[in-house]
Amino acid sequence: MMSALLARGDFWMPMQGAEGAWVVDWLFYFIFWVSLVFFIIIAGGMFWFMWRYRRRHEEHGPESNVSHNTALELTWTIIPTILLIPMFWWGFTGFMDARVAPNNAYDINVIAQKWSWRFVYPNNYDDNNLHVPAGVPIRLVMRSEDVIHSCYIPDFRVKRDVVPGRYSTLWFTAKGAQGRTTEHHLFCAEYCGTSHSDMKAKVIVHPSREDFDAWLANADPLKQLTPEQYEAYVKDPEGFIEELRKTDPDLAARLVTPVEHGRRLYEKKGCAQCHTITKDAPSRNGPTWWNVYGHKVLLRDGSSIADENYLRESIVNPGAKIVAGYDNIMGPQRVNDREIDALIAFIKTLRDDYQKP
Amino acid sequence: MSSYDAAAARGPDSAAAADNYLTHGRGLLSWALTLDHKRIGVMYMTGIIIFFLIGGLFALLVRTSLLIPQKNVPGGTPFIFSHDNYNLFFTLHGAIMVFIVIIPGIPAAMGNFVLPLMLGAKDVAFPRLNLTSWYLWLSGAALALLSIIMGGFDTGWTFYVPYSTDTTFAGVIPVLSGVFLLGFSSIFTGLNFIVTIHKLRPPEMGWFRMPLMLWATYATAVIQVLATPVLGITLLLLIVERAAGIGVFNPALGGDPVLYQHFFWFYSHPAVYIMILPAMGVMSELLSVFSRKHIFGYSFIAFSSVAIAIFGFLVWGHHMFVSGQSNLISTVFSFLTFSVAVPSAIKMFNWLATLYGGSISFRAPMIYALSFMWIFGIGGLTGLFLGTLAVDVHLHDTYFVVAHFHFVMAGTIFVFFGAVHYWWPKITGRMYNETLGNWGALLSVIGFNITFLAQFPLGTHGMPRRYYNYEEHYWIYHVVSTCGAYLAGIGFVLTVICLVQSLFRGRKAPANPWGGNTMEWYCPSPPPHHNFDHPPPVTDPYDFSGWKYDEKAGGYVRRSPAEIPAPASKGH
Amino acid sequence: MADIAATGGHAAAHELGHPSHVQHHFDTSAQQFEASKLGMWLFLGTEVLFFSGLFCAYTVYRFNHPEIFAYAHKSLSVFWGALNTIILIASSFTMALGVWCAQKSNRPGLVICLILTLAGAAGFMVIKAIEYNEKFQHGKLWGRLYQPAQHDDHAADDHAADAGAADAHAAASGAAHGSDARPTDPAHGAAAPAAGHGPSAAFQPERTSLAEPNQLPRGGVKLSTLTAGGHDKGHGGPKPADVHNEHIFYGIYFCLTGLHGLHVLAGMVVLSCVLVGAVQGRYHAGYYTPVDLGGLYWHLVDLIWIFLFPLLYLIH
């Protein structure tokens, strides 16, 4: 793996995985060679003088006592100044090109949180790895759930901080390879705590837009099931996944039960901040989910039976029915239908008399 | 003039027999309550070296942990550290080295000792304030260490919000308070030095007859006074943000985390120059004395110090090219950043020209000084990559940055040790073992270079900083880097052994062991409590023709006026 | 800063011909006075810079969210603020008078002036305490603790009942919910970056200001830390619909006035020390450095308030 990755780059730079990468590399080498020349002048001069003018005995005096030479000093003020101007200018133009995405860019939403990446595609499928088609300008619209992260793809020479409370964007056009997918590393470059170094993902470049679209259409594991399989899954998700593990372990690993999905959403969407899910947990700002499903709920004005419709309404429009003793402090949640199903499935398990179907 | 010739001629024995600042009052209390700038300087120096060793030990632990990639893979075990402890220790290493060691390193320790001596003054302008600074430093440093027991802190030395307001480590507020105190220590030291240079300079010493060390110290003091209050208020706001949630920085409360970064770097970039400028001042002294040659281009060096101090205030935004500041602001900061490169280049070339035609002696301070040329050459030139917008996007927050700033900041550490060796005879009255000193210098410099040169390709290949786990293809560089770190560690330990050993075994130091012509060499080693009975004559600090080597004294003594050759011609 | 205002406690060190108040490392009284004065001015400079961080935060937020300031400042009492301004200006005047007395070796005059100045300072702090107390009672506090008492917001109640506006200001969904209140779908994502407004199209794609009003997450006030029931109505007074996060104003208000209050207290300590010296008769026309420097410090404290008063109380 080591040699494989290094072989594709050179001593200084990793492989150029995106179309704009050469600009960075070219500029890097320009500065590198200019710096090297300066460094050789300084270090070489230093070593030469060190040898040539070494003190031979304590009384050995200096050969020269020249204390200034304005023309010389002006020279080494002005020449570096002149050399710095193109560095700045090319750095600036390269930067602007890398910042301004073309209008036809393909948008992928990115959600960073401790310590994982979620890439949300236009069809609302989300994945922990970033899949992109080669040759198509991709724009990542990124936001953070918690602290500052930074999306960094070394092979593409792009990086952008993901700051909570605002969107940041980043764009690139992956090069890819003919007829096969290529993989690149994606790191979190802004320190974000315990598992900062494990907050990474793979960028998987599909050879063409068609290939990518085909992947995306089938990316949702549920969509890969035949209608019969899907029916079996809906009836008994756990049993179905267990069965599938024997024949198609990859697909099985990607499938989760709705209950498990709901539990993850409970953590991920921040429900846990206000709602408890165990019997004796002390009350928080929102009503507990324990023993709510199927029970009568006392509201500010009246009461209601907590069935599926009640739960759904409480998620998408929490202000409609306020539980007595609580305030209307929860905002409407942006969740899709399958997520709502999963949350309801999860809530259904949170009761005394729950029995596995 | 004659009394100095006499004092120097008396030789080390008579000087040591007389009352000096070390013997002037005995007992712990006479040190704890001293107002003597020399004793305060010695206390700083001791404290800073101890903290340097602690910070260095943490660095070695961190580097050792990095020997193993992919520590989290199934079946893998934590090596040396868990994730959290790794984060704790790299944070501690950074915070200790930056705030406790390097920032006060040369100004507070060396500056305190030599600044009044170089001015021919009896003390700094405000001795009690000086002692206050020392105690602020001590309490700040103690709080930073105590914070480990009080829960630790894993925020990185930059304390970025909202991580620092959210983290579950409980030691964040203690360490922030510690750094706050350290900041005020730094402000008061800077204020003291500015007033001392303005008001206690002998009337005959015009600005352009000051040693360059004083120019650099002055420029540093100006930055300390102007920039550090902003750090103070930033840390205060951060403490209040974490403790009470005022919502100025925390995005969860509607605040702006990037505002914090602006505030932080408004101090912390100039702080880089607080670290490097005094080192540049010492460099001018060392190179000139050990080449026995007038410094080349005095006024260019002096003005470039001031230019660096001024430009240093205008470039903080280059730490935030990828953080979400606008492209216009990034462009302006990139442009200004290049402007700092020019005065740094001027200094480098002037130092090089100082070596030309000199009589170069490879004593330990000179080895450190020449190493600085090499190290700062690399540190400064790699800064160009990071100032260039397009390239910085790739290199930001990678090991390239880590290597770059270590080459700059550790340059200061090496000059600090150069300064310690240079003034050690003056400070302690003892000569250190030359062989041991040279070996310590060489090993630490070579080890340091191996450590951080290996990190440049690591960074360009995309290894982010502050990573506990890493991909296997980065492994070999980490192994090289860690080996270098051990070598440097051995070098630094040798250096400290050399210094400590000299206290017990070192021969008595002459008043002027190196042939320097700044005023501190006119008083005996160690200096008496009041420094000078009468101020020494103000001469060109880089005219060494008035001193000759005296075998018997083991150092330099003044020539009689008849022996002094006619002033060398200046310029071509 | 005891050092800068050094008194002649250095008797052992001074040499022949040194007046008792001149420390050993100064040659003349004038040199010591000039050094002290320069030191004090530098110190005052650092104080100004210390406050400038807060003024900068004030400017950034006021520029980006003028509506917060326009709305929230109304809860401050211009009467108390103006009274405090008058008190501080008067105390600055008595202080200047005190320095003049010291220069004239007028000891009783100096003592009276210092006492008057200290009285002014104390009066200022009492009024500040009254104002703070009022804020605490109404829950008009910073960030996490911002929780205006119920009686000021009937109008808001109706507003809150409207579920459609719930996300706009039913603030208390907690930090975690704050993120959910933000738009997550691609359409919103695409819209957000367009909010940048650089000088030309080339500079355009991302935000330019430090804090963009419409991109701030809403809400996020953690009530659980405050009261068991978490009864919160979100805001105080009839509030315009576009005002969110008005607690930021109070955060800045408390930071600025709190820090200034600490400086007033420090000034009172300094002036008390000077007063002790004055009572003992240490100052005279030949040596009044501590009075002069204490006075400078007091004028700075006064000056900062003169900036704070219009910035916080008189917003239009």
Side-chain angles (χ1 to χ4, degrees):
Chain A
M1 166 127 179
M2 167 187 161
S3 53
L5 266 170
L6 274 190
R8 288 185 288 162
D10 54 31
F11 180 76
W12 283 111
M13 282 297 187
M15 68 167 298
Q16 297 179 354
E19 282 174 8
W22 69 271
V23 179
V24 174
D25 290 14
W26 182 85
L27 196 50
F28 177 90
Y29 279 107
F30 170 73
I31 302 171
F32 177 78
W33 290 114
V34 169
S35 301
L36 197 66
V37 168
F38 270 86
F39 187 69
I40 287 170
I41 293 173
I42 289 166
M46 184 177 91
F47 283 118
W48 165 247
F49 292 159
M50 276 163 63
W51 185 79
R52 171 71 182 72
Y53 302 113
R54 67 193 181 280
R55 189 178 296 179
R56 291 171 173 111
H57 54 86
E58 273 308 326
E59 282 299 295
H60 178 94
E63 289 180 24
S64 146
N65 216 10
V66 52
S67 68
H68 65 95
N69 181 330
T70 309
L72 198 59
E73 289 172 76
L74 280 177
T75 311
W76 62 55
T77 307
I78 292 165
I79 290 182
T81 310
I82 291 172
L83 278 171
L84 292 176
I85 291 169
M87 283 184 203
F88 160 73
W89 182 253
W90 287 325
F92 160 67
T93 53
F95 177 72
M96 292 316 298
D97 291 343
R99 290 298 311 141
V100 185
N103 287 332
N104 61 349
Y106 183 92
D107 279 1
I108 297 172
N109 274 34
V110 182
I111 297 147
Q113 66 186 98
K114 294 177 192 168
W115 290 277
S116 69
W117 297 96
R118 265 201 307 148
F119 302 94
V120 185
Y121 298 89
N123 68 354
N124 226 9
Y125 169 70
D126 68 288
D127 199 302
N128 290 112
N129 288 321
L130 174 60
H131 290 258
V132 296
V136 177
I138 305 291
R139 198 172 70 127
L140 304 183
V141 180
M142 308 183 288
R143 67 182 178 87
S144 167
E145 294 277 15
D146 36 49
V147 300
I148 303 176
H149 301 280
S150 186
C151 177
Y152 177 34
I153 310 171
D155 288 350
F156 295 178
R157 316 285 191 269
V158 292
K159 184 184 289 127
R160 194 71 179 171
D161 282 6
V162 188
V163 182
R166 63 175 70 165
Y167 289 102
S168 50
T169 61
L170 178 160
W171 85 275
F172 56 82
T173 305
K175 277 181 173 170
Q178 276 292 323
R180 61 185 174 88
T181 57
T182 56
E183 287 190 6
H184 308 270
H185 290 294
L186 184 150
F187 298 122
C188 172
E190 181 64 59
Y191 175 69
C192 58
T194 308
S195 294
H196 168 52
S197 60
D198 302 326
M199 185 173 165
K200 55 195 178 187
K202 282 202 175 73
V203 184
I204 296 154
V205 182
H206 294 263
S208 67
R209 178 67 190 263
E210 293 70 37
D211 195 75
F212 169 78
D213 287 340
W215 166 81
L216 186 56
N218 295 312
D220 189 339
L222 284 182
K223 293 222 171 109
Q224 295 182 20
L225 302 181
T226 60
E228 296 79 43
Q229 279 179 315
Y230 185 74
E231 214 157 279
Y233 168 79
V234 174
K235 268 191 198 138
D236 175 15
E238 280 172 48
F240 174 78
I241 293 171
E242 211 47 53
E243 274 301 306
L244 190 67
R245 204 158 279 153
K246 293 170 193 153
T247 53
D248 190 348
D250 285 347
L251 185 59
R254 292 166 59 203
L255 281 178
V256 291
T257 62
V259 172
E260 178 54 27
H261 188 196
R263 182 193 308 280
R264 290 182 193 176
L265 288 170
Y266 168 77
E267 301 288 344
K268 220 154 57 173
K269 295 269 177 183
C271 316
Q273 300 292 325
C274 296
H275 301 284
T276 58
I277 52 169
T278 50
K279 193 173 187 176
D280 303 316
S283 173
R284 296 188 194 157
N285 280 337
T288 180
W289 287 2
W290 183 257
N291 266 350
V292 64
Y293 177 75
H295 289 74
K296 190 171 160 186
V297 180
L298 278 176
L299 303 178
R300 272 189 190 169
D301 39 3
S303 65
S304 180
I305 294 289
D307 57 6
E308 281 85 349
N309 278 325
Y310 169 84
L311 292 177
R312 184 188 169 85
E313 185 178 37
S314 299
I315 294 168
V316 298
N317 189 5
K321 294 197 173 84
I322 308 286
V323 179
Y326 291 91
D327 283 314
N328 179 17
I329 57 174
M330 175 176 159
Q333 301 299 303
R334 288 168 200 280
V335 281
N336 63 32
D337 284 349
R338 181 131 60 79
E339 286 172 327
I340 294 171
D341 292 346
L343 277 167
I344 292 174
F346 174 55
I347 292 173
K348 280 180 177 175
T349 66
L350 304 173
R351 53 195 161 116
D352 292 325
D353 51 352
Y354 173 70
Q355 283 169 337
K356 269 193 168 185
Chain B
M1 162 93 71
S2 59
S3 61
Y4 294 96
D5 298 341
R10 269 205 307 271
D13 293 333
S14 55
D19 183 38
N20 66 45
Y21 82 100
L22 294 169
T23 56
H24 184 90
R26 294 188 180 274
L28 202 62
L29 215 59
S30 78
W31 281 84
L33 298 178
T34 185
L35 297 178
D36 185 347
H37 70 98
K38 299 182 288 299
R39 284 190 166 194
I40 294 173
V42 168
M43 291 194 289
Y44 266 120
M45 186 179 75
T46 318
I48 284 167
I49 291 180
I50 289 171
F51 270 93
F52 171 75
L53 292 177
I54 295 174
L57 178 70
F58 292 166
L60 282 183
L61 289 175
V62 166
R63 281 251 47 99
T64 309
S65 167
L66 284 167
L67 275 174
I68 308 286
Q70 300 291 18
K71 290 178 277 281
N72 69 325
V73 293
T77 44
F79 186 59
I80 307 286
F81 290 139
S82 64
H83 280 88
D84 278 339
N85 279 337
Y86 174 85
N87 294 343
L88 169 67
F89 276 92
F90 83 68
T91 302
L92 277 170
H93 165 71
I96 287 178
M97 288 302 198
V98 170
F99 293 115
I100 303 179
V101 176
I102 307 181
I103 288 180
I106 294 177
M110 295 296 125
N112 246 320
F113 191 90
V114 300
L115 181 127
L117 287 170
M118 279 184 160
L119 289 168
K122 292 196 173 99
D123 210 321
V124 292
F126 310 118
R128 265 171 279 186
L129 184 64
N130 203 14
L131 187 65
T132 312
S133 297
W134 156 250
Y135 280 111
L136 284 173
W137 180 87
L138 198 60
S139 3
L143 257 179
L145 267 197
L146 277 179
S147 70
I148 308 175
I149 310 168
M150 296 162 86
F153 57 107
D154 69 333
T155 56
W157 74 278
T158 47
F159 309 114
Y160 270 18
V161 281
Y163 189 75
S164 55
T165 54
D166 289 358
T167 178
T168 50
F169 278 69
V172 176
I173 289 181
V175 76
L176 288 173
S177 322
V179 175
F180 183 80
L181 295 180
L182 289 166
F184 270 86
S185 162
S186 180
I187 291 174
F188 291 146
T189 302
L191 188 152
N192 222 333
F193 286 178
I194 293 179
V195 177
T196 308
I197 291 176
H198 269 282
K199 296 297 173 190
L200 293 181
R201 207 153 27 93
E204 315 87 73
M205 187 190 277
W207 283 95
F208 289 92
R209 300 195 80 174
M210 288 199 313
L212 286 163
M213 166 80 179
L214 295 189
W215 269 101
T217 312
Y218 185 80
T220 310
V222 170
I223 309 178
Q224 284 176 310
V225 167
L226 291 182
T228 321
V230 178
L231 175 75
I233 193 67
T234 308
L235 295 175
L236 208 57
L237 278 173
L238 187 52
I239 292 171
V240 184
E241 182 76 79
R242 186 171 162 87
I246 48 164
V248 172
F249 294 141
N250 191 347
L253 295 170
D256 186 353
V258 179
L259 183 65
Y260 170 81
Q261 297 180 19
H262 277 287
F263 276 20
F264 182 81
W265 289 113
F266 180 81
Y267 165 75
S268 293
H269 195 79
V272 173
Y273 301 105
I274 295 178
M275 300 184 221
I276 200 78
L277 269 174
M280 291 170 158
V282 175
M283 276 294 289
S284 302
E285 303 300 320
L286 296 184
L287 286 175
S288 164
V289 168
F290 289 96
S291 305
R292 197 175 287 167
K293 182 164 165 285
H294 198 286
I295 188 79
F296 188 89
Y298 177 99
S299 46
F300 267 71
I301 294 184
F303 281 125
S304 63
S305 286
V306 178
I308 288 176
I310 294 168
F311 289 138
F313 274 102
L314 307 174
V315 301
W316 79 88
H318 69 214
H319 295 266
M320 300 156 62
F321 286 161
V322 303
S323 74
Q325 72 185 1
S326 81
N327 297 333
L328 171 67
I329 293 176
S330 291
T331 307
V332 172
F333 278 122
S334 168
F335 184 79
L336 291 168
T337 299
F338 280 107
S339 66
V340 186
V342 176
S344 307
I346 293 173
K347 278 184 192 280
M348 289 295 283
F349 284 114
N350 276 314
W351 290 331
L352 191 62
T354 303
L355 294 177
Y356 167 79
S359 165
I360 299 171
S361 160
F362 299 104
R363 305 296 190 92
M366 187 59 163
I367 293 179
Y368 283 113
L370 294 167
S371 309
F372 180 83
M373 298 254 308
W374 172 275
I375 288 170
F376 184 70
I378 295 174
L381 289 167
T382 50
L384 297 177
F385 296 89
L386 300 172
T388 307
L389 280 165
V391 182
D392 180 71
V393 169
H394 176 55
L395 298 176
H396 179 81
D397 269 342
T398 65
Y399 265 67
F400 192 92
V401 175
V402 175
H404 158 73
F405 72 69
H406 277 91
F407 265 95
V408 174
M409 292 188 190
T412 302
I413 287 287
F414 285 113
V415 175
F416 171 76
F417 276 107
V420 168
H421 283 81
Y422 180 59
W423 282 300
W424 189 259
K426 184 60 63 189
I427 293 170
T428 62
R430 300 282 179 169
M431 298 300 289
Y432 54 85
N433 181 320
E434 295 262 349
T435 322
L436 207 53
N438 289 359
W439 272 106
L442 276 176
L443 282 185
S444 49
V445 168
I446 293 171
F448 169 85
N449 271 285
I450 296 172
T451 310
F452 291 102
L453 283 175
Q455 294 184 6
F456 284 118
L458 201 51
T460 52
H461 281 283
M463 163 94 193
R465 64 194 284 202
R466 297 171 171 176
Y467 259 32
Y468 170 75
N469 287 313
Y470 54 87
E471 302 300 313
E472 273 164 13
H473 62 278
Y474 298 128
W475 177 68
I476 190 71
Y477 297 107
H478 280 291
V479 172
V480 173
S481 185
T482 304
C483 293
Y486 282 118
L487 192 61
I490 293 169
F492 284 121
V493 169
L494 264 188
T495 303
V496 173
I497 288 174
C498 161
L499 294 176
V500 173
Q501 187 239 26
S502 79
L503 294 177
F504 303 101
R505 297 268 189 83
R507 78 176 160 90
K508 287 206 162 52
N512 188 355
W514 321 118
N517 191 38
T518 38
M519 285 190 188
E520 73 271 24
W521 305 113
Y522 284 78
C523 70
S525 305
H529 178 63
H530 286 298
N531 298 350
F532 305 99
D533 291 331
H534 303 280
V538 175
T539 55
D540 181 343
Y542 302 105
D543 176 11
F544 305 112
S545 56
W547 297 86
K548 68 173 179 203
Y549 189 71
D550 179 16
E551 201 87 42
K552 202 155 66 49
Y556 289 76
V557 292
R558 293 290 289 171
R559 290 179 204 273
S560 60
E563 280 181 293
I564 297 177
S569 64
K570 301 281 168 68
H572 276 305
Chain C
M1 304 309 287
D3 207 11
I4 288 180
T7 54
H10 234 263
H14 74 87
E15 290 176 20
L16 205 66
H18 266 53
S20 65
H21 62 265
V22 177
Q23 296 179 77
H24 79 278
H25 57 287
F26 288 112
D27 292 332
T28 61
S29 181
Q31 189 192 24
Q32 171 167 310
F33 177 71
E34 280 173 22
S36 305
K37 198 127 182 180
L38 177 62
M40 194 64 200
W41 277 109
L42 282 170
F43 178 70
L44 296 186
T46 65
E47 287 282 27
V48 169
L49 286 161
F50 196 66
F51 273 94
S52 72
L54 279 173
F55 282 119
C56 183
Y58 173 95
T59 313
V60 167
Y61 282 102
R62 182 155 178 202
F63 182 76
N64 286 319
H65 304 279
E67 75 286 353
I68 292 179
F69 288 75
Y71 164 69
H73 93 277
K74 288 177 194 150
S75 65
L76 302 185
S77 158
V78 179
F79 169 73
W80 286 126
L83 187 59
N84 255 349
T85 311
I86 292 165
I87 289 175
L88 270 195
I89 290 176
S91 76
S92 240
F93 175 72
T94 55
M95 188 65 231
L97 213 57
V99 175
W100 182 76
C101 289
Q103 283 169 338
K104 297 280 176 236
S105 300
N106 177 353
R107 185 169 142 200
L110 173 61
V111 170
I112 290 169
C113 283
L114 285 171
I115 289 174
L116 282 177
T117 310
L118 278 168
F124 178 89
M125 290 309 289
V126 168
I127 291 177
K128 207 74 233 164
I130 294 171
E131 287 191 85
Y132 273 20
N133 187 40
E134 193 257 345
K135 296 282 165 303
F136 272 78
Q137 287 195 340
H138 292 91
K140 295 196 165 168
L141 301 177
W142 55 87
R144 210 186 278 162
L145 298 184
Y146 180 71
Q147 193 196 19
Q150 292 195 11
H151 58 77
D152 342 278
D153 46 63
H154 299 298
D157 253 349
D158 307 339
H159 209 150
D162 173 9
D167 81 319
H169 59 110
S173 49
H177 277 177
S179 60
D180 282 325
R182 277 171 278 162
T184 60
D185 52 302
H188 279 264
H197 41 72
S200 74
F203 289 105
Q204 213 259 60
E206 227 158 275
R207 40 181 294 110
T208 49
S209 59
L210 290 167
E212 199 87 19
N214 50 14
Q215 288 187 21
L216 289 168
R218 286 143 183 186
V221 181
K222 272 191 189 154
L223 294 167
S224 50
T225 56
L226 280 179
T227 53
H231 286 266
D232 170 63
K233 295 300 178 285
H235 37 66
K239 189 178 78 165
D242 61 339
V243 174
H244 312 294
N245 288 321
E246 62 272 20
H247 61 81
I248 285 179
F249 175 83
Y250 296 102
I252 291 172
Y253 167 82
F254 276 102
C255 283
L256 274 169
T257 56
L259 197 63
H260 178 259
L262 285 178
H263 278 76
V264 174
L265 287 177
M268 288 172 75
V269 173
V270 169
L271 293 184
S272 303
C273 294
V274 175
L275 180 61
V276 170
V279 170
Q280 290 171 350
R282 274 199 227 144
Y283 312 123
H284 48 81
Y287 175 65
Y288 56 91
T289 314
V291 186
D292 203 26
L293 300 190
L296 278 178
Y297 185 74
W298 190 249
H299 294 322
L300 174 89
V301 170
D302 185 20
L303 185 74
I304 290 173
W305 178 256
I306 288 174
F307 278 100
L308 288 186
F309 175 59
L311 285 178
L312 293 171
Y313 290 77
L314 307 175
I315 296 170
H316 291 296

